[in-house]
Amino acid sequence: KKTLKRHAMGWTANPSSTTPIFPGAESDGGGGSTASPDVENFFVVLGSGSLKAMDIWASSTGNNTRLGIALFINNSTTPSLHCTGTMENVSIFGGNRGHLFVDFTQTNFVSGSSLFNPGDLISIGLSKFGGDTPAKPQATLYYEVDETKLETNQTTGVLG
């Protein structure tokens, strides 16, 4: 059975260069890591699946903010998927907010694979390729998971 899931992500640092930064953990406020992301910047998926979409908002953005969006899996520093898009200015919540909706099924705009396996640790890195730096980016990631058999490909601990 395939199920559509969502995962909220927030970046404590602002993407200001072509080097990707990773979302922070809710528990420790981490994030903004560039060269060496760690487990707190990822989340685990327990079934095979694929990314479907991502809705990105920034509390402020300027002109022509062009973002790079990249999927990282496990401990690879090379993204398995990447694309770019330009944020739109939207007047909401009393000011200009940046918005970008990414449809990962639009393969003519996406390079690489959006697929993942059971137990993979996945994360999204954001980078800036042009324009002004977006402030406090937040996103909702939508992905599909096959829940027929939940499992992990990682070494597990022992209960008890």
Side-chain angles (χ1 to χ4, degrees), residues 70-73 76-82:
L71 169 66
F72 290 84
I73 298 177
S76 177
T77 56
T78 302
S80 64
L81 168 147
H82 67 277

Side-chain angles (χ1 to χ4, degrees), residues 20 22 51 68-72 79-83 104 123-127:
F22 295 85
L51 301 185
I69 300 99
L71 169 66
F72 290 84
S80 64
L81 168 147
H82 67 277
C83 63
F104 293 113
S123 187
I124 299 292
L126 288 184
S127 53

Side-chain angles (χ1 to χ4, degrees), residues 11-104:
W11 287 259
T12 58
N14 302 325
S16 59
S17 74
T18 57
T19 302
I21 60 170
F22 295 85
E26 288 181 33
S27 60
D28 70 0
S33 174
T34 55
S36 56
D38 208 339
V39 293
E40 68 269 15
N41 310 114
F42 287 72
F43 67 97
V44 68
V45 288
L46 293 178
S48 60
S50 64
L51 301 185
K52 294 301 178 192
M54 188 167 176
D55 199 20
I56 306 169
W57 286 88
S59 66
S60 67
T61 187
N63 298 314
N64 302 314
T65 300
R66 188 158 182 77
L67 290 180
I69 300 99
L71 169 66
F72 290 84
I73 298 177
N74 297 325
N75 63 350
S76 177
T77 56
T78 302
S80 64
L81 168 147
H82 67 277
C83 63
T84 59
T86 302
M87 297 191 95
E88 294 281 326
N89 284 321
V90 179
S91 181
I92 191 170
F93 295 113
N96 260 349
R97 308 294 184 228
H99 182 245
L100 174 62
F101 182 80
V102 179
D103 182 350
F104 293 113

